[in-house]
Amino acid sequence: MARRPQLTGRAAVLAVVVCAIAMSLAYPIREYVAQRRQIAQLEQAQARELAAIKALDDRRRQLMDPGYIKKTARERLFYCDPGQKCYVVMGDDRAAERRKSAAGPKKAVKAPWYETLWQSVEAADTGRGRKAAGAGG
């Protein structure tokens, strides 16, 4: 009995055709996946922009409200209605503290280098300066 070859001509042609079909479909599928990813990113960007538009529209409506404008003018610019007596208390520490706490914590401001240099020169002149550690004398 003669053995049949495991790979016949028909099987080889079929394998080549299947590979050709797979190769021809690879690029369109890759493009499809890339386009779906881009569509998802654009939809997310559109949702962000719509939220920003809604926030700006709400702010526009708020600024069109005469009551809000009056309240803001009284609080920030110390405006008064005609015929009304208004007083502004100068040096009110509690109001300053409230404004500072509303603005949030501020970072400690570091003095410029030239002020630090001048202070060290003045301290050396008056003898109030301290010696640096490890300085030879």
Side-chain angles (χ1 to χ4, degrees), residues 3-17 19:
R3 269 184 96 198
R4 285 177 111 187
Q6 289 184 346
L7 186 62
T8 62
R10 284 184 179 175
V13 170
L14 180 63
V16 168
V17 169
C19 286

Side-chain angles (χ1 to χ4, degrees), residues 8-132:
T8 62
R10 284 184 179 175
V13 170
L14 180 63
V16 168
V17 169
V18 168
C19 286
I21 289 173
M23 294 298 283
S24 66
L25 290 178
Y27 181 74
I29 289 175
R30 187 175 66 198
E31 287 297 311
Y32 173 77
V33 170
Q35 287 176 357
R36 293 304 303 170
R37 188 179 309 122
Q38 184 181 15
I39 288 171
Q41 290 172 348
L42 290 173
E43 285 174 346
Q44 289 174 353
Q46 181 184 21
R48 283 193 305 269
E49 295 300 322
L50 287 175
I53 288 172
K54 183 183 180 313
L56 288 173
D57 194 40
D58 291 344
R59 179 72 174 150
R60 182 186 59 84
R61 262 192 241 108
Q62 186 181 35
L63 291 174
M64 297 296 283
D65 181 24
Y68 176 77
I69 293 173
K70 276 187 175 183
K71 180 180 148 229
T72 304
R74 269 192 228 110
E75 288 175 359
R76 294 178 61 197
L77 304 174
F78 305 109
Y79 279 22
C80 294
D81 289 331
Q84 182 183 13
K85 287 188 179 182
C86 294
Y87 300 97
V88 176
V89 179
M90 303 300 285
D92 185 13
D93 294 335
R94 291 177 295 167
E97 287 178 19
R98 279 190 298 238
R99 273 181 268 158
K100 285 181 184 176
S101 65
K106 292 196 175 189
K107 296 179 183 175
V109 179
K110 186 177 177 184
W113 65 270
Y114 50 86
E115 284 185 16
T116 307
L117 176 67
W118 186 250
Q119 289 171 359
S120 68
V121 169
E122 286 179 336
D125 185 44
T126 59
R128 291 180 296 138
R130 46 191 170 112
K131 289 188 177 182

